[in-house]
Amino acid sequence: MNLFDDIKSLVLDTLAAMTAQGALPTGLDLGNVNVEPPRDPAHGDMATNAAMVLAKPAGLKPRDIAQGLVERLSDDPRIALAEVAGPGFINLRLADAVWQGLVGQVVDAGTSYGRSRMGQGRKVNIEYVSANPTGPMHVGHTRGAVFGDALANLLAYAGHDVTREYYINDGGAQVDVLARSVYLRYLEAHGQEVAFEDGTYPGDYLIEVGQALKAKVGDAYVGQPEDVWLTEVRAFSTDAMMALIREDLAALGVKMDSFFSEKALYGTGRIEAALEDLAEKGLIYQGVLEPPKGKTPDDWEPREQTLFRSTAHGDDVDRPVKKSDGGWTYFAPDIAYHFDKVSRGFDMLVDVFGADHGGYVKRMKAAVSALSDGRVPLEVKLIQLVKLTQGGEPVKMSKRAGTFVTLRDVVDQVGADVTRFVMLTRKNDAPLDFDFDKVLEQSKDNPVFYVQYAHARVCSVLRKAAAAGIAVDDTSLAATDLAALDHPAELAVARKLAEWPRLVEIAAQTGEPHRIAFYLYDLASEFHTLWNRGNDTPTLRFLPDDPAGGAAKIVLPRAVAVVISAGLGILGVKPLDEMR
RNA sequence: GGUCGCAUAGCUCAGCUGGAUAGAGUGUCGCCCUCCGAAGGCGAAGGUCGAAGGUUCGAAUCCUUCUGCGACCGCCA
């Protein structure tokens, strides 16, 4: 259900009729014809560019085509007024009955109003979070987690078959560092004095891991060389860290469908298999890279190594897959991982990375393109930094002093819902300011509050109506006659509701969940405006003075609540029934 | 040196995937608030959309060049 699509169909049908009648030449490309809400409400409810787009290919003047369209469109009962404007726009004013019908349909459809089949069930894999299993999640991870989760919800809402996946980086050197750090805590648990040198993690969160290790193995590893305990301590530690991370994710309301272990790629032939696939395509060779221009490292020396010919798929230089010591580079297991994703039959891949990984985008795209023979697109979403402040003052963070702000700190202070909403009020590629005080402020300039307040107000109205003996269940409301819903302030809210399905598709298409948050703010704003009008204009109040007046005015606020609820659902935020 | 991203009101940011007179919040100024929930309401002022070209009926939006800021640039993940 999308009112804009309905009217666009009407326009296209009308154009087809004009062609059949000889008013337009045959074979015109109608692909650029669209129907949109005009910026200025004075221009009507919807506008189409059909006449302007078709003028040139049809060899006719825009206004002549427009005139013909206007005459025919006016015959449709849904069109109250059609007129030519400006350079050849056709402005359409819809009949009140159309808006009234829409409001009823919204309540009838509930939170599935706005669902789209745009995705056509395509299988999409979204990889996000993917924090190293070396400690609790911090604020930096939080934004990526919220974004990926909301994007997953959004794509699912728009008709995609979504898999949410976490890539566990448990195969590299950093988990050896973790294991050594835990080993130190283990010795500490046995009463030894230990020193945390550079290259170890001093964080307190490892103390209990060391104690747990002691509880499990006793003193079996005390005084033993690394090769005796490293493998097992590594596994023990990463398991403990993943348990910690899963708790963090749960606190934020993020639920993954799948966890994929990097370690599982090593020693199983899977990296080799992926590279063999590339080799068969002639994309692996031994070669020497040019030094990077402008900033040559001091210790640079030409070296022959195993390279992936990523330039064949759009990258700027070819990329090494093996280190000088013969081990894999980080890129190699990543190739294997994405080979696995492609093999699992996904139609589209999405990677959510921190902005500092921007340098890897081209090579990953090249790899996926090569591995899938160009079949599977990879979309990489880069997440910019979060600037934490409190009362306007920056929150100091120092990794060395161990005073970094964790996801848990944030969620404990402001709650998961507020955290999620605020993190989605900026484009993913723009830095985000997060002020611990401001996000809890109960005022109009706090979008979280403003949107929740609108929902709570509707719930309050429904409670009062129910207390007055009015039937407020959705079935009754959807069946209510809305002919009295004709005030411009009321119709303005209905127009906003009509935009919802369209907005969902645009947001899904662009992969930008923040558009949902901004839309909800706009919708809440329209609603609050109508509410305030009720102060001066009693006929605009939602509750009739006489309960016999019935539910006619309650359907619209209920429809607003339905859409807010659907939108917040995509953002992963629970709507509030009251604000107290 | 190269790649990618960003640049819109004093400030923080939207801008509907090329549309008509570029919007919101905040701040400033003016008026209002015994009224379903005033954790306010109404209105005003405030812009060479970083710069210059180009594409076309039409550009904040697309292309090119330039300026400024940020991230990244064989063996770290």
Side-chain angles (χ1 to χ4, degrees), chain A residues 208-226:
Chain A
E208 55 183 277
V209 182
Q211 290 168 342
L213 181 61
K214 178 189 171 190
K216 187 185 175 199
V217 304
D219 60 2
Y221 295 153
V222 176
Q224 297 294 321
E226 192 172 287

PDB file of all heavy atoms in Angstrom, chain A residues 208-226:
ATOM      1  N   GLU A 208      39.128 -11.768  36.303  1.00  0.00           N
ATOM      2  CA  GLU A 208      38.292 -12.932  36.597  1.00  0.00           C
ATOM      3  C   GLU A 208      38.484 -14.053  35.587  1.00  0.00           C
ATOM      4  O   GLU A 208      38.234 -15.224  35.889  1.00  0.00           O
ATOM      5  CB  GLU A 208      36.813 -12.535  36.696  1.00  0.00           C
ATOM      6  CG  GLU A 208      36.251 -11.813  35.505  1.00  0.00           C
ATOM      7  CD  GLU A 208      34.797 -11.410  35.775  1.00  0.00           C
ATOM      8  OE1 GLU A 208      33.944 -12.270  35.589  1.00  0.00           O
ATOM      9  OE2 GLU A 208      34.543 -10.253  36.175  1.00  0.00           O
ATOM     10  N   VAL A 209      38.945 -13.681  34.380  1.00  0.00           N
ATOM     11  CA  VAL A 209      39.241 -14.735  33.405  1.00  0.00           C
ATOM     12  C   VAL A 209      40.435 -15.555  33.890  1.00  0.00           C
ATOM     13  O   VAL A 209      40.446 -16.789  33.788  1.00  0.00           O
ATOM     14  CB  VAL A 209      39.523 -14.134  32.014  1.00  0.00           C
ATOM     15  CG1 VAL A 209      39.781 -15.248  30.996  1.00  0.00           C
ATOM     16  CG2 VAL A 209      38.356 -13.268  31.543  1.00  0.00           C
ATOM     17  N   GLY A 210      41.434 -14.824  34.448  1.00  0.00           N
ATOM     18  CA  GLY A 210      42.590 -15.528  35.012  1.00  0.00           C
ATOM     19  C   GLY A 210      42.182 -16.432  36.166  1.00  0.00           C
ATOM     20  O   GLY A 210      42.665 -17.566  36.284  1.00  0.00           O
ATOM     21  N   GLN A 211      41.268 -15.940  36.980  1.00  0.00           N
ATOM     22  CA  GLN A 211      40.802 -16.759  38.108  1.00  0.00           C
ATOM     23  C   GLN A 211      40.014 -17.975  37.619  1.00  0.00           C
ATOM     24  O   GLN A 211      40.146 -19.080  38.151  1.00  0.00           O
ATOM     25  CB  GLN A 211      39.937 -15.900  39.046  1.00  0.00           C
ATOM     26  CG  GLN A 211      40.765 -14.864  39.805  1.00  0.00           C
ATOM     27  CD  GLN A 211      39.905 -13.824  40.508  1.00  0.00           C
ATOM     28  OE1 GLN A 211      38.732 -13.658  40.196  1.00  0.00           O
ATOM     29  NE2 GLN A 211      40.515 -13.110  41.447  1.00  0.00           N
ATOM     30  N   ALA A 212      39.230 -17.753  36.589  1.00  0.00           N
ATOM     31  CA  ALA A 212      38.450 -18.868  36.038  1.00  0.00           C
ATOM     32  C   ALA A 212      39.375 -19.924  35.448  1.00  0.00           C
ATOM     33  O   ALA A 212      39.120 -21.137  35.561  1.00  0.00           O
ATOM     34  CB  ALA A 212      37.491 -18.346  34.961  1.00  0.00           C
ATOM     35  N   LEU A 213      40.456 -19.449  34.836  1.00  0.00           N
ATOM     36  CA  LEU A 213      41.417 -20.401  34.271  1.00  0.00           C
ATOM     37  C   LEU A 213      42.061 -21.236  35.388  1.00  0.00           C
ATOM     38  O   LEU A 213      42.232 -22.442  35.258  1.00  0.00           O
ATOM     39  CB  LEU A 213      42.493 -19.644  33.476  1.00  0.00           C
ATOM     40  CG  LEU A 213      43.556 -20.508  32.793  1.00  0.00           C
ATOM     41  CD1 LEU A 213      42.908 -21.447  31.766  1.00  0.00           C
ATOM     42  CD2 LEU A 213      44.601 -19.630  32.107  1.00  0.00           C
ATOM     43  N   LYS A 214      42.367 -20.537  36.482  1.00  0.00           N
ATOM     44  CA  LYS A 214      42.936 -21.240  37.639  1.00  0.00           C
ATOM     45  C   LYS A 214      41.949 -22.295  38.158  1.00  0.00           C
ATOM     46  O   LYS A 214      42.326 -23.432  38.441  1.00  0.00           O
ATOM     47  CB  LYS A 214      43.258 -20.243  38.745  1.00  0.00           C
ATOM     48  CG  LYS A 214      43.806 -20.889  40.011  1.00  0.00           C
ATOM     49  CD  LYS A 214      43.908 -19.892  41.155  1.00  0.00           C
ATOM     50  CE  LYS A 214      44.254 -20.597  42.471  1.00  0.00           C
ATOM     51  NZ  LYS A 214      44.120 -19.687  43.626  1.00  0.00           N
ATOM     52  N   ALA A 215      40.688 -21.889  38.238  1.00  0.00           N
ATOM     53  CA  ALA A 215      39.676 -22.823  38.728  1.00  0.00           C
ATOM     54  C   ALA A 215      39.577 -24.038  37.814  1.00  0.00           C
ATOM     55  O   ALA A 215      39.277 -25.138  38.259  1.00  0.00           O
ATOM     56  CB  ALA A 215      38.314 -22.118  38.812  1.00  0.00           C
ATOM     57  N   LYS A 216      39.866 -23.845  36.565  1.00  0.00           N
ATOM     58  CA  LYS A 216      39.710 -24.944  35.609  1.00  0.00           C
ATOM     59  C   LYS A 216      40.928 -25.876  35.583  1.00  0.00           C
ATOM     60  O   LYS A 216      40.785 -27.095  35.610  1.00  0.00           O
ATOM     61  CB  LYS A 216      39.480 -24.380  34.210  1.00  0.00           C
ATOM     62  CG  LYS A 216      39.132 -25.476  33.193  1.00  0.00           C
ATOM     63  CD  LYS A 216      39.014 -24.942  31.774  1.00  0.00           C
ATOM     64  CE  LYS A 216      38.787 -26.089  30.780  1.00  0.00           C
ATOM     65  NZ  LYS A 216      39.112 -25.694  29.414  1.00  0.00           N
ATOM     66  N   VAL A 217      42.130 -25.268  35.527  1.00  0.00           N
ATOM     67  CA  VAL A 217      43.319 -26.115  35.335  1.00  0.00           C
ATOM     68  C   VAL A 217      44.237 -26.172  36.554  1.00  0.00           C
ATOM     69  O   VAL A 217      45.298 -26.799  36.496  1.00  0.00           O
ATOM     70  CB  VAL A 217      44.143 -25.651  34.109  1.00  0.00           C
ATOM     71  CG1 VAL A 217      43.264 -25.638  32.864  1.00  0.00           C
ATOM     72  CG2 VAL A 217      44.764 -24.279  34.357  1.00  0.00           C
ATOM     73  N   GLY A 218      43.850 -25.468  37.626  1.00  0.00           N
ATOM     74  CA  GLY A 218      44.704 -25.480  38.809  1.00  0.00           C
ATOM     75  C   GLY A 218      46.052 -24.837  38.512  1.00  0.00           C
ATOM     76  O   GLY A 218      46.107 -23.812  37.855  1.00  0.00           O
ATOM     77  N   ASP A 219      47.136 -25.474  38.956  1.00  0.00           N
ATOM     78  CA  ASP A 219      48.461 -24.875  38.745  1.00  0.00           C
ATOM     79  C   ASP A 219      49.207 -25.543  37.585  1.00  0.00           C
ATOM     80  O   ASP A 219      50.426 -25.432  37.471  1.00  0.00           O
ATOM     81  CB  ASP A 219      49.291 -24.940  40.019  1.00  0.00           C
ATOM     82  CG  ASP A 219      49.494 -26.387  40.477  1.00  0.00           C
ATOM     83  OD1 ASP A 219      49.020 -27.317  39.772  1.00  0.00           O
ATOM     84  OD2 ASP A 219      50.112 -26.576  41.536  1.00  0.00           O
ATOM     85  N   ALA A 220      48.460 -26.238  36.728  1.00  0.00           N
ATOM     86  CA  ALA A 220      49.092 -27.019  35.663  1.00  0.00           C
ATOM     87  C   ALA A 220      49.988 -26.190  34.754  1.00  0.00           C
ATOM     88  O   ALA A 220      50.979 -26.701  34.224  1.00  0.00           O
ATOM     89  CB  ALA A 220      48.016 -27.716  34.817  1.00  0.00           C
ATOM     90  N   TYR A 221      49.669 -24.896  34.559  1.00  0.00           N
ATOM     91  CA  TYR A 221      50.438 -24.076  33.621  1.00  0.00           C
ATOM     92  C   TYR A 221      51.465 -23.179  34.314  1.00  0.00           C
ATOM     93  O   TYR A 221      52.224 -22.485  33.657  1.00  0.00           O
ATOM     94  CB  TYR A 221      49.511 -23.200  32.772  1.00  0.00           C
ATOM     95  CG  TYR A 221      48.605 -23.984  31.862  1.00  0.00           C
ATOM     96  CD1 TYR A 221      47.377 -23.461  31.466  1.00  0.00           C
ATOM     97  CD2 TYR A 221      48.974 -25.243  31.379  1.00  0.00           C
ATOM     98  CE1 TYR A 221      46.536 -24.154  30.621  1.00  0.00           C
ATOM     99  CE2 TYR A 221      48.137 -25.960  30.542  1.00  0.00           C
ATOM    100  CZ  TYR A 221      46.917 -25.414  30.165  1.00  0.00           C
ATOM    101  OH  TYR A 221      46.101 -26.113  29.343  1.00  0.00           O
ATOM    102  N   VAL A 222      51.481 -23.166  35.629  1.00  0.00           N
ATOM    103  CA  VAL A 222      52.409 -22.289  36.328  1.00  0.00           C
ATOM    104  C   VAL A 222      53.837 -22.722  36.044  1.00  0.00           C
ATOM    105  O   VAL A 222      54.163 -23.905  36.160  1.00  0.00           O
ATOM    106  CB  VAL A 222      52.147 -22.319  37.851  1.00  0.00           C
ATOM    107  CG1 VAL A 222      53.179 -21.468  38.586  1.00  0.00           C
ATOM    108  CG2 VAL A 222      50.730 -21.821  38.159  1.00  0.00           C
ATOM    109  N   GLY A 223      54.651 -21.736  35.614  1.00  0.00           N
ATOM    110  CA  GLY A 223      56.042 -22.024  35.358  1.00  0.00           C
ATOM    111  C   GLY A 223      56.295 -22.795  34.071  1.00  0.00           C
ATOM    112  O   GLY A 223      57.427 -23.185  33.797  1.00  0.00           O
ATOM    113  N   GLN A 224      55.240 -23.018  33.285  1.00  0.00           N
ATOM    114  CA  GLN A 224      55.400 -23.766  32.041  1.00  0.00           C
ATOM    115  C   GLN A 224      55.707 -22.810  30.886  1.00  0.00           C
ATOM    116  O   GLN A 224      55.262 -21.654  30.882  1.00  0.00           O
ATOM    117  CB  GLN A 224      54.107 -24.530  31.708  1.00  0.00           C
ATOM    118  CG  GLN A 224      53.753 -25.583  32.747  1.00  0.00           C
ATOM    119  CD  GLN A 224      54.779 -26.706  32.778  1.00  0.00           C
ATOM    120  OE1 GLN A 224      55.276 -27.142  31.738  1.00  0.00           O
ATOM    121  NE2 GLN A 224      55.142 -27.152  33.975  1.00  0.00           N
ATOM    122  N   PRO A 225      56.445 -23.269  29.877  1.00  0.00           N
ATOM    123  CA  PRO A 225      56.716 -22.442  28.703  1.00  0.00           C
ATOM    124  C   PRO A 225      55.439 -22.256  27.873  1.00  0.00           C
ATOM    125  O   PRO A 225      54.500 -23.051  27.971  1.00  0.00           O
ATOM    126  CB  PRO A 225      57.762 -23.248  27.929  1.00  0.00           C
ATOM    127  CG  PRO A 225      57.567 -24.659  28.356  1.00  0.00           C
ATOM    128  CD  PRO A 225      57.109 -24.589  29.796  1.00  0.00           C
ATOM    129  N   GLU A 226      55.488 -21.226  27.036  1.00  0.00           N
ATOM    130  CA  GLU A 226      54.300 -20.814  26.291  1.00  0.00           C
ATOM    131  C   GLU A 226      53.721 -21.916  25.418  1.00  0.00           C
ATOM    132  O   GLU A 226      52.495 -22.051  25.289  1.00  0.00           O
ATOM    133  CB  GLU A 226      54.644 -19.584  25.438  1.00  0.00           C
ATOM    134  CG  GLU A 226      53.450 -18.892  24.837  1.00  0.00           C
ATOM    135  CD  GLU A 226      53.848 -17.577  24.177  1.00  0.00           C
ATOM    136  OE1 GLU A 226      54.138 -16.619  24.918  1.00  0.00           O
ATOM    137  OE2 GLU A 226      53.884 -17.513  22.945  1.00  0.00           O
TER     138      GLU A 226
END
